[in-house]
Structure formats: C-alpha cells, structure tokens
C-alpha cells in the first residue's frame, strides 16, 4: 500500500475540511422532489370529467333539497380525491425510502480519531471504517481490507456476496458494482465478512444508488386503459344528459308555457341520465377488491392495479429472493470419490462426508454473517451436533485471508489438548487443489465434478485440512501440507410453491420472464426447477448492444435474462410494453425500483424487500409467497368481469329511466317521473351495481382463459348493443303499461303506480339477468351471493311501502294497487328480459367462458 494511503488511514479529513466539503457538495442523501401542495393535487383531481360529474350530481341534489344524496356524492368526491392524493405521494415516499437506505450511520476517521456520525454527513474524501454487518454509507475505494466480502444484491441482483480487494493505486476509476476482486464498495451494500477502510468517492445523487433514484424520479405512472375508457364514457354520457336536460326544459316550456315545471322536468331527466354510478362502481369495486386481495397477503398500494391484474400478459420476476429463498443451502458434497446429494428428508450424513462438513465449519466464522458460512454451520448443527466433529472448545490462533493471487482462506486452531495446530481451508476449488498439490489425474476427476455442480447452478467450494507441530506459524498458506477433503456445492433454494404457481400462470396465458443479475448457468438451473424454458438466454452484455427494435423482437420469446444491470431491467419492461404486453414485475431490491414503477403492475416482496421496492410498487406480497401473485391475478380477473357486468346493467337501466323522463314531455303526456321517483330508483341501482355485482364469485374458468386484450374496449359493439337492447325492451314494455293504463281511464296516479312497479320488477330482472351473459337466471341461482338477495329484498320492501303506506303513496303520487295489478306488473317486468334469457339458451348453456363479448 502506498505511503500516502497509510497517512490517510491514520488521520482522515479534518472536521474543518469535512464541513467545507459538506457545504460544497451537500448532504449524503437523495434530494427531495419538490412536493406539490394539497391544493394543486386537489385541483388536478377535480378537473377530471369523472369527478366533475360527481360534483355536478351533488349540486343537483342540493338544488332539489335532497341533502342526504348530495352529501353522499360529495363524500364520494372526497374519498376519490384522497385515494388520488395517496397515489401522487408515492414518488416522494419512494425517494424518501431511498434516502433512508442510503444514509445509515457511519464510522469515520477525522482528525486522526474514529467517530460515529450520521450517514448524511459523510463527504467525498472521508475515510470510513467498515466491519462485518455494516451498511456501506457511500461509494468508496478500499485502501485496506482483510477478507472483506459485500452483499451487493440490492444493486446487482446477484445472490452471493462478492469478494473485495484493496486498491493498488491512489485514484482508481470507479467501476460498476458486481463481480469479485474489485476495490470498490457501494452505498447501500452490506459487509458480510471481514473488515476494511475506504476513502469515499461519491455521495448522495452521485452514487450508484443515487443513479437509480434519478431513474425512478423520471418514471411516470400511467392511467389504466379502464380508467381512460371510463372517463371517456362518463364524459360522453354527461354531455348527452346535459343535452337532453336542455331539450326537456325547452320543449316543456314552449309546449306548455310552464318554465318552472320545465326546469323540474329537465332536472329529473338529468338525474335519470347522469351516470354517477360509473365512478362509484370503479371506486367501490377497486377498493373492495384491494381489501379482498389483502386477505391473501397482498397489499394494494395503487388501487387501479387491482383491475389491471386481470389483463397481465407477462410476469417479469427477479430470481434472488423472489423465485428463491435468498439464503444458501448445501446441496451436494463430493468426497472420497463419491457424490452425496443432500435433501431435507435425510436422517443422517454418510460417514464419508463428515470430515468435509467439519472442516468447512472450522474454516468459517464461529458466528457467521456470510450466507455460505451460515449454511455450513446449519448443516453441522442439524447432523453433527452430538458428534466429535464439532469443536466448540478449540481456540482460534490465526487466520490467513484470501487474496487475489490465492482465492482461499485458512483458519488455524489449537485443539483442546494443545498438542498441535489444526488448519482448515476453504475457497475456490482450483485454489484448494493448488494448496494440496493434487496430481493431474485426480485434478481431472475434480474438474469433472466441479463442472457438473456448476452446470446445476451451484456455487462450488473446496475444503482441505492440515496439521502443524511447530510453535511459530508460517507466513503463508502454501507452507502447510494440506490434504484435500472434498467439494461442497451450494444453491439458493427455490421457494416452495413456485413451480405450481408458474404452471398456473401459463395455464392462464401469462408468460413468466426471469430477469436476474446471476450467471446464465445459475439462472438456467433455477429455470429448470420451476418449469421455465431454458433453451434461450440473453446476458446483460448481449442486451447492451441490441437496439430498441432488436430488443423488442428478442423479448417476444425469451424467458431468461441473466447478468442484467438495473438500467437494463427498466429497458426490458419498456420493450415488453412497447410490444403491447401488460407487464407485471416482481422484485425486492433497490435495483428493481425503476422497473417496478414503470411496469403496469409492480409487485414488491414485503418480507425481504426494501422500502424502495415497496414504495415504488403497485402491490406488495406481505408473505413473499410467489403463489400469492396467482391468487391476486385471479381476483383481478374476477373484479374486471364484475365491473363489466355492473356497467352493462347501468347502461341498460338508464335507457328506460331516461326514456320515461323524456317521452311524456315530447308527446304532451302527464309526467311519469318526479325527482323523488328517480331517488328511489337510485336506492336500488346504487347498491345493485356497487355491492351485489361486486360480491359475485369468480367464474370456474377464470384462470383457464387467456388475459383480456388490453387494447379491447370495455364494451365491444356486440356487448354495447345487447346492453342497449335490454334497456330498450324494458322501455317498450313499461311505456306500453303506462299507455294502456292511461288510455283505459284508470287515472294518472294509478297509471304512474303501475308503470313504476313494472319498472321496479324489470330492474330486478335486469340485475338477475346480468349476473351472467351465458347462464340463465335459473342456472345462476345456485351461485351464492347474499348481497344480491339483500338488494332484491330491499327493493321489494321499498316498493311495497311506496304503494301501501298512505304518506309515501301520496309523496310518490301513486294510487293503491291490488294483487291483480301487482301480478300484471310482475309479468310485464319479467317478460321484458325473457328474450335475453332465450338468447343465452340459443347461444349454448355450456360455453366455457362467462364474458360480456
């Protein structure tokens, strides 16, 4: 090490120098994006057509004096504004999480003394001291280190820690994270073994983690297709309602000369046509859907993602910690000429491999932090705890760290008898073979076994032992006479349930793509275990030279991307989206955050995931169980199906309501509807569309059909036509009842009561018919939905009260109806939707899917 390095280690910066640098470069944290004020966010929310319509509906109710309905609508505005405000704050929270992660406490040397300071106060040029378990506070160059390894999986996605060396020059150029034998450490990474001292090169936004923060800040969330289409539909219907309202006012005023009654009729028409249920349906369905999904340990952070789940076509998943458990496990041991496969069901270990396990533990820390050393210790505790191979009473005398020239480390122990030293060595198989001076024939056998293990995705280590009688220990490991003991193959195990979950994804038409920072062999080995195609792999360097167009072509059929760096994950998600895919992306590391935010559905791991990943995602798996994603997708598909059913019903029922409000005005007949009649109808319609349809269970085939086309409209022309035809058929029947009763001289009040009762029965018929567009009402009766029967029962009770309670009968301008009148209304109302039931039978009762066209 150069002499000036020694001086730096001894003294570091002075406090005056550090204060000056802190003033020049700023704190070691990511800058806060200037948050918008609550007023600015609220203004952006209320200028949307959907929310303007809710406000307008509330004002109409205020003008009518119906304070309850007005408050309900205004309350809906506040709820939706709150949800949107929550979404807008996500970027700020993600950046705050990055700041927290990138600013741990730091041990620095200033004025020649060690002192613990806040990570945000670290400046370039600071000398930081690191030990096992420390979080690195800034990007730095190692000036000295002993057996130092760091876990950089948050930045690279690599499942194993990387070995570090000290810098041989005063001012090396910082390289990208990842790979062994680099003298650089990075902010946010974790020291898993050894200790060292380093000089800080970059802080805050200039670190590798800061670059991710900049990318995250630039990614914008997009509206879902359903949100865009619903906004357009609501706007068009609002304009139609406004036009009809003006038409009714003008027509009534000109033909009858009563402009005040004309305004009242116009308001009634507006109330009948204004589709305030559409935003209510979206809000209620998605909010309740988020609650239902939470029962499966999936937390919803961005509510529209609940609906988008149903259209996901590609699921991009990280390997480390997502498909795997992110902890090392001994899988295979080669010793004494034989390979032993280890599994969880084994009762004991063969005697031939006891010594390999024994010395792998002796070559490790007694209380290890490194994942591999933890795996050795666990293996010993599970199988050798009560044998002579565990030496808790031995004394550690010396440690020989690994170096760039010899990728092996040794630990020297004095036995309890004190008669001799025992040396345990572990490291790269080639280095251990070199220490043991293995002959060429045995070296060839070892190479074959090493290659076999590596092809199975294992990380392979060699283990050796030696003994020493002299008191003075040698300076290097080569001075011992080592005996080769064996090879240990380790893997990061696949999470339980992942293969089954991926199989279900494929049956649902969802392609699974693995994006990892690990090597191709490791990625392919995991892919084979979980059922992904392994014939094609693209590495990060290969991806880097592809143009955007070439990448879009490649991502159509390749399922494994290895050695990928953070910016490339974001690029892959963008390429898939450019191909028209609806992308769900899982991840748990800082390196996943931009891709999680850019994806249509970002899914973070809640247990092992970082705050940054969770804050950038749409969904969080609270139990880190990959199979929970499948349950969430299933719920998403059910929710979208039910949204379509509810909206089809809303369109259908508004046709007769609008027609009944408009036709009498244009033909000079007595008015059928007053505002109070529409209010009562809304008491039925609102719970029907927002509660009864939301509670509909999923169809049996919901996970056996392909994802819906993300470019397909909410309603196809076929579905829209059928919805309108349902409404027209009800309108024809209801107007026929009114016309016949009016011209038979039964009186205006009785005609109104008959017409309204018929509409209520027809309305209930529409609710039952729209539960399924392929199964008849009788067939759907076997599908439980308690909320539906509360709605039906409540509607009938309200109707009976309006007809038979004198005060209410007078309020509604009804006449008393007899049993025969009710029977006629029931027959007419149900008869209005019989043609739709006949159409279902004609199209086939046993159709595989239950969609709306």
């Amino acid at each position: 090490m150069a002499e000036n390095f020694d001086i730096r280690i001894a003294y570091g910066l002075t406090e005056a120098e550090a204060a000056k640098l802190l003033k020049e470069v700023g704190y070691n944290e990511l800058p806060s994006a200037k948050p918008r004020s609550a007023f600015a966010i609220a203004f952006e929310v209320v200028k949307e057509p959907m929310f303007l319509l809710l406000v307008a509906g509330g004002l109409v109710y205020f003008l009518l004096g119906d304070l309850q309905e007005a408050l309900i609508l205004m309350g809906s505005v506040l709820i939706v504004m709150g949800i949107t405000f929550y979404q807008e704050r996500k970027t700020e929270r993600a950046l705050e999480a990055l700041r927290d992660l990138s600013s741990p406490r730091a041990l620095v040397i200033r004025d020649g003394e060690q002192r613990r300071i806040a990570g945000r106060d670290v400046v370039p040029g600071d000398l930081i001291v690191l030990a096992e378990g420390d979080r690195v506070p800034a990007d730095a160059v190692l000036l000295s280190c002993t057996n130092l390894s760091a876990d950089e999986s948050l930045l690279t996605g690599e499942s194993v820690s990387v070995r570090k060396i000290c810098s041989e020059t005063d001012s090396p150029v910082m390289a990208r994270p990842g790979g062994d034998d680099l003298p650089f450490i990075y902010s946010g990474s974790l020291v898993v073994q050894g200790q060292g001292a380093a000089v800080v090169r970059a802080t805050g936004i200039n670190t590798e983690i800061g670059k991710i923060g900049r990318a995250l800040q630039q990614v914008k969330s997009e509206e879902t297709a359903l949100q865009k289409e619903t906004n357009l539909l609501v706007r068009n219907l609002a304009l139609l309602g406004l036009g009809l309202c003006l038409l009714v006012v003008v027509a009534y005023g000109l033909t009858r000369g009563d402009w005040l009654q004309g305004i009242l009729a116009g308001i009634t028409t507006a109330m009948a046509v204004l589709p305030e249920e559409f935003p209510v349906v979206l809000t209620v369905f998605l909010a309740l859907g988020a609650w239902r999904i939470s029962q499966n340990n999936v937390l919803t952070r961005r509510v529209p993602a609940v609906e988008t789940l149903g259209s996901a076509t590609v699921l991009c998943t990280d390997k480390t910690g997502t498909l795997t458990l992110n902890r090392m496990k001994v899988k295979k041991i080669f010793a004494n000429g034989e390979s032993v496969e280890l599994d969880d069901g084994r009762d004991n270990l063969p005697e031939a491999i006891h010594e390999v396990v024994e010395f792998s533990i002796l070559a490790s820390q007694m209380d290890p932090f490194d994942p591999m050393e933890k795996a050795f210790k666990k293996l010993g505790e599970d199988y050798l705890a009560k044998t002579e191979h565990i030496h808790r009473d031995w004394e550690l005398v010396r440690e020989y760290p690994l170096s760039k020239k010899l990728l092996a480390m040794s630990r020297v122990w004095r036995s309890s008898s004190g008669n001799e030293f025992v040396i345990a060595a572990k490291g790269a198989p080639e280095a251990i073979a070199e220490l043991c001076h293995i002959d060429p024939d045995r070296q060839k056998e070892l190479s074959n076994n090493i290659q076999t293990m590596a092809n199975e995705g294992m990380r392979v280590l060699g283990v050796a032992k030696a003994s020493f009688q002299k008191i003075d220990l040698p300076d290097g490991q080569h001075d011992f006479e080592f005996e080769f003991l064996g090879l240990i193959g380790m893997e990061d195990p696949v999470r339980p349930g992942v293969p089954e979950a991926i199989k279900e994804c494929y049956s649902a038409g969802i392609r699974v793509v693995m994006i990892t920072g690990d090597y191709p062999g490791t990625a392919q080995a995991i892919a084979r275990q979980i059922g992904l195609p392994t014939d094609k792999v693209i590495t990060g360097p290969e991806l880097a030279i592809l143009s955007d167009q070439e990448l879009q072509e490649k991502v159509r059929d390749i399922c494994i991307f290895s050695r990928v760096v953070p910016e490339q994950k974001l690029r892959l998600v963008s390429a898939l989206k450019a191909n028209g895919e609806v992308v769900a992306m899982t991840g748990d590391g800082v390196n996943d955050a931009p891709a999680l935010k850019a994806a249509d559905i970002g899914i973070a791991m809640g247990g092992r995931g970082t705050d940054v990943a969770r804050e950038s995602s749409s969904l969080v798996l609270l139990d880190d169980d990959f199979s929970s994603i499948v349950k969430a997708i299933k719920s998403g598909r059910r929710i979208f199906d039910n949204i379509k059913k509810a909206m089809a019903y809303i369109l259908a029922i508004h046709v007769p309501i609008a027609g009944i409000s408009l036709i009498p005005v244009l033909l000079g007949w007595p008015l059928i509807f007053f505002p109070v009649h529409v209010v009562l109808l809304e008491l039925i319609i609102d719970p029907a569309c927002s509660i009864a349809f939301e509670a509909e269970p999923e169809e049996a085939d919901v996970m056996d059909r392909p994802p819906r086309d993300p470019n397909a409209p909410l309603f196809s022309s076929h579905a829209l036509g059928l919805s309108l035809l349902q409404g027209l058929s009800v309108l024809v029947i209801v107007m026929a009842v009114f016309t016949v009763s009016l011209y038979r001289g039964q009186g205006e009040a009785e005609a109104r009561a008959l017409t309204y009762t018929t509409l209520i029965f027809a309305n209930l018929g529409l609710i039952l018919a729209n539960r399924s567009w392929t199964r008849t009402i009788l067939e759907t009766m076997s599908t439980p939905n308690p909320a539906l029967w509360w709605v039906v029962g409540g509607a009938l009770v309200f109707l009976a009260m309006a007809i038979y309670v004198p005060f209410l009968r007078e309020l509604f301008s009804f006449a008393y109806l007899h049993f025969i009148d009710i029977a006629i209304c029931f027959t007419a109302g149900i008869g209005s939707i019989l043609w739709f039931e006949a159409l279902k039978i004609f199209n086939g009762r046993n159709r595989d899917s239950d969609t709306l066209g």
Side-chain angles (χ1 to χ4, degrees):
M1 187 179 295
E3 183 179 350
N4 59 333
F5 281 21
D6 294 328
I7 297 173
R8 294 288 306 280
I9 290 176
Y11 296 102
L13 294 176
T14 65
E15 284 293 347
E17 290 172 333
K20 181 181 178 182
L21 282 168
L22 188 63
K23 188 174 181 180
E24 290 176 359
V25 302
Y27 288 110
N28 179 31
E29 59 187 11
L30 298 183
S32 226
K34 186 177 180 181
R36 289 175 295 168
S37 67
F39 176 79
I41 295 177
F43 178 74
E44 289 187 12
V45 171
V46 299
K47 72 181 182 180
E48 292 292 327
M50 183 184 297
F51 304 118
L52 286 174
L53 191 57
L54 279 173
V55 173
L59 291 176
V60 169
Y61 282 119
F62 270 123
L63 292 174
L64 292 171
D66 193 331
L67 185 61
Q68 182 179 358
E69 285 291 330
L71 291 177
I72 289 173
L73 279 185
M74 289 303 183
S76 300
V77 172
L78 294 176
I79 290 171
V80 178
M81 284 178 61
I83 292 172
T84 307
F85 183 84
Y86 167 78
Q87 292 173 220
E88 294 293 336
R89 279 283 299 154
K90 281 195 347 178
T91 298
E92 286 86 354
R93 286 198 300 272
L95 292 172
E96 287 165 8
L98 271 172
R99 286 196 298 275
D100 291 341
L101 182 59
S102 63
S103 186
R105 302 289 293 176
L107 183 62
V108 300
I109 296 178
R110 288 184 181 173
D111 293 322
E113 296 181 359
Q114 290 189 11
R115 61 189 64 184
R116 184 79 61 178
I117 65 172
R120 70 195 300 264
D121 294 330
V122 172
V123 296
D126 251 329
L127 188 66
I128 55 176
V129 179
L130 300 166
E132 190 172 288
D134 286 346
R135 181 76 67 179
V136 180
D139 288 6
V141 177
L142 282 164
L143 305 181
S144 69
C145 63
T146 303
N147 202 30
L148 194 143
S149 297
D151 178 0
E152 296 176 354
S153 61
L154 295 180
L155 293 165
T156 65
E158 294 182 26
S159 58
V160 294
S161 57
V162 290
R163 184 175 57 252
K164 298 296 180 181
I165 60 172
C166 0
S167 174
E168 297 178 353
T169 62
D170 193 358
S171 302
V173 178
M174 290 288 293
R176 296 297 304 276
D180 289 321
D181 298 324
L182 291 176
F184 311 113
I185 52 176
Y186 302 91
S187 177
S189 61
L190 188 68
V191 178
V192 296
Q193 189 175 21
Q195 55 272 333
V199 60
V200 173
R201 289 288 190 223
T203 59
I205 200 71
N206 298 314
T207 62
E208 289 296 319
I209 199 173
K211 295 174 185 176
I212 294 174
R214 285 203 300 268
L216 181 61
Q217 203 170 12
Q218 295 167 1
V219 178
K220 304 297 182 184
S221 298
E222 301 177 1
E223 277 190 327
T224 67
L226 181 60
Q227 286 177 307
K228 294 175 183 176
E229 188 174 354
T230 304
N231 282 339
L232 182 62
L233 181 61
V234 168
R235 186 196 67 186
N236 292 340
L237 289 177
L239 292 174
L240 174 63
L242 180 61
L244 289 178
C245 176
L246 295 175
L247 175 63
V248 167
V249 172
V250 173
Y252 199 100
L254 292 177
T255 58
R256 309 189 190 191
D258 190 342
W259 289 96
L260 185 59
Q261 285 298 320
I263 292 175
L264 183 62
I267 291 175
T268 303
T269 303
M271 291 174 61
V273 176
L274 290 180
E276 73 270 13
E277 296 92 357
F278 282 113
V280 170
V281 162
L282 273 185
T283 302
V284 171
F285 275 52
L286 297 183
L288 288 179
W291 175 78
R292 292 183 189 278
I293 289 177
S294 71
Q295 307 305 299
N296 293 322
N297 292 309
V298 180
L299 175 65
T300 303
R301 298 190 58 81
R302 190 167 67 89
V303 174
V306 173
E307 170 268 322
T308 312
L309 274 171
S311 59
T313 59
V314 174
L315 174 55
C316 296
T317 174
D318 188 20
K319 178 187 74 67
T320 306
T322 306
L323 298 174
T324 66
L325 292 169
N326 197 22
R327 63 170 180 258
M328 301 305 290
K329 174 185 174 183
V330 177
K331 178 67 174 176
K332 182 183 287 188
I333 297 179
F334 172 78
N336 299 317
E338 63 175 302
S339 289
V340 178
E341 195 91 26
L342 302 182
D343 58 70
D344 294 332
R346 181 182 291 275
D347 294 327
N348 51 63
L349 297 179
E351 186 66 34
I353 66 173
H354 282 192
E355 199 172 28
V356 179
V357 178
E358 172 187 357
F359 278 85
S360 70
I361 296 171
L362 288 172
S364 306
Q365 299 287 337
M366 291 302 294
D367 187 16
F369 197 82
D370 182 83
M372 290 184 294
E373 294 186 348
K374 283 183 176 180
F376 298 150
K377 183 179 180 181
K378 186 177 188 310
L379 188 65
E381 290 174 346
D382 289 346
Y383 297 105
L384 303 180
K386 298 180 179 180
T387 69
E388 73 278 6
H389 297 285
I390 301 297
H391 308 284
R392 295 185 177 89
D393 56 344
W394 284 16
E395 176 190 358
L396 179 65
V397 177
R398 183 170 176 179
E399 185 172 9
Y400 294 89
L402 53 81
S403 65
K404 190 173 183 180
K405 295 180 179 179
L406 182 64
L407 301 180
M409 61 169 292
S410 300
R411 306 186 90 207
V412 182
W413 297 87
R414 181 181 285 113
S415 66
S416 56
S417 62
N419 295 329
E420 64 177 358
F421 297 107
V422 176
I423 302 94
K426 66 177 173 64
E430 297 80 4
I432 295 297
E434 180 185 340
L435 283 176
C436 297
H437 307 291
I438 294 177
D439 61 72
D441 290 338
R442 196 178 179 194
Q443 179 70 51
K444 184 177 180 180
E445 180 189 12
L446 281 179
S447 297
N448 291 336
N449 282 279
I450 294 168
Q451 189 61 44
T452 299
M453 290 184 181
N455 289 341
E456 294 175 9
M458 299 182 201
R459 182 178 174 92
V460 186
L461 293 179
V463 180
K465 71 172 183 178
S467 59
F468 196 73
Q469 298 287 344
K470 298 179 182 178
I471 297 177
D472 296 328
L473 293 171
D475 294 331
Q477 300 178 71
H478 277 290
D479 295 323
F480 296 111
E481 294 185 6
F482 279 102
E483 175 190 350
F484 182 82
L485 296 179
L487 301 172
I488 298 180
M490 312 188 71
E491 67 171 3
D492 185 2
V494 169
R495 284 185 175 276
V498 167
E500 293 79 9
I502 287 182
K503 184 177 180 181
E504 193 165 2
C505 282
Y506 276 108
S507 71
I510 302 169
R511 184 162 64 97
V512 179
V513 176
M514 182 197 298
I515 303 175
T516 178
D518 262 325
Y519 289 93
T522 306
Q524 285 175 301
I526 295 295
R528 279 191 291 270
Q529 294 180 53
I530 63 177
L532 287 183
T534 60
D535 54 330
K536 296 180 181 178
V537 180
I538 286 186
T539 64
E542 292 170 342
L543 189 153
I545 62 176
L546 295 176
S547 67
D548 289 345
Q549 187 62 40
E550 290 172 331
L551 181 58
Q552 288 181 36
E553 290 299 318
K554 293 286 187 182
V555 297
R556 293 184 188 277
D557 59 355
I558 292 179
C559 295
I560 303 176
F561 293 87
S562 65
R563 303 301 293 164
V564 172
V565 297
E567 293 83 357
Q568 292 175 330
K569 290 188 176 186
L570 179 58
R571 193 177 169 213
L572 282 168
V573 170
S574 300
L576 288 164
K577 291 176 69 175
N579 285 341
E581 305 281 7
V582 177
V583 183
M585 166 79 185
T586 72
D588 60 357
V590 174
N591 60 311
D592 297 322
L596 284 171
K597 188 174 180 183
D600 297 286
I601 310 147
I603 307 172
M605 300 294 124
R608 300 187 64 86
T610 62
D611 286 343
V612 183
R614 289 191 287 269
E615 294 290 347
S616 302
S617 64
S618 306
L619 304 173
V620 178
L621 298 185
L622 299 179
D623 57 359
D624 286 5
D625 188 348
F626 189 85
S627 63
S628 295
I629 299 173
V630 180
K631 296 176 184 176
I633 290 173
K634 185 177 182 179
S635 294
R637 291 190 173 191
R638 180 193 66 82
I639 291 164
F640 184 77
D641 280 354
N642 291 346
I643 287 175
K644 291 181 77 175
K645 292 174 183 178
M647 291 191 171
Y649 160 71
I650 293 170
L651 278 178
I653 192 58
H654 272 82
V655 171
I657 295 175
I660 292 170
S661 301
L662 181 62
I663 291 173
V665 175
L666 299 180
L667 297 182
W669 294 351
L671 295 181
I672 302 175
F673 276 179
F674 299 129
V676 67
H677 299 109
V678 179
V679 170
L680 178 57
L681 275 170
E682 293 296 331
L683 289 176
I684 301 171
I685 295 171
D686 287 349
C689 62
S690 61
I691 298 177
F693 281 111
E694 192 283 329
E696 272 298 302
E698 70 274 359
E699 303 296 333
D701 67 337
V702 70
M703 291 300 286
D704 293 325
R705 49 177 139 133
R708 63 181 176 85
D709 183 355
N711 298 317
L714 178 62
F715 290 114
S716 65
S717 57
H718 172 71
L720 183 61
L722 281 178
S723 292
L724 294 176
L725 199 54
Q726 287 182 63
L728 286 172
S729 67
V730 171
L731 176 60
V732 168
I733 294 295
V734 171
M735 288 307 300
V737 169
F738 179 73
T739 304
V740 171
S741 59
L742 189 64
Y743 280 93
R744 286 183 60 186
Q746 292 177 282
E748 184 179 319
E750 187 171 350
R752 182 177 293 111
L754 289 168
T755 304
Y756 198 79
T757 302
T758 303
L759 180 60
I760 295 295
F761 284 126
N763 183 23
L764 297 179
L766 283 174
I767 294 173
L768 296 174
N770 281 284
R771 291 184 69 192
S772 171
W773 277 36
T774 56
R775 292 181 296 152
T776 64
I777 292 176
L778 292 177
E779 289 173 322
T780 57
M781 289 296 181
S782 61
T783 303
N785 186 343
L788 171 69
W789 301 115
W790 279 104
V791 170
V792 172
L796 294 177
V797 169
F798 277 133
L799 178 62
M801 292 173 62
I803 294 173
Y804 298 113
V805 175
F807 167 75
L808 294 176
R809 187 165 64 241
E810 182 178 348
L811 177 66
F812 282 88
S813 300
F814 286 166
Y816 185 91
L817 296 182
H818 297 86
F819 176 77
I820 187 63
D821 298 322
I822 299 296
I824 292 172
C825 293
F826 176 81
T827 303
I830 298 300
S832 66
I833 51 94
L834 287 181
W835 69 270
F836 189 55
E837 295 299 291
L839 182 63
K840 295 178 187 179
I841 297 172
F842 178 78
N843 288 334
R845 297 185 179 186
N846 299 317
R847 191 173 299 171
D848 290 335
S849 62
D850 186 15
T851 64
L852 299 183

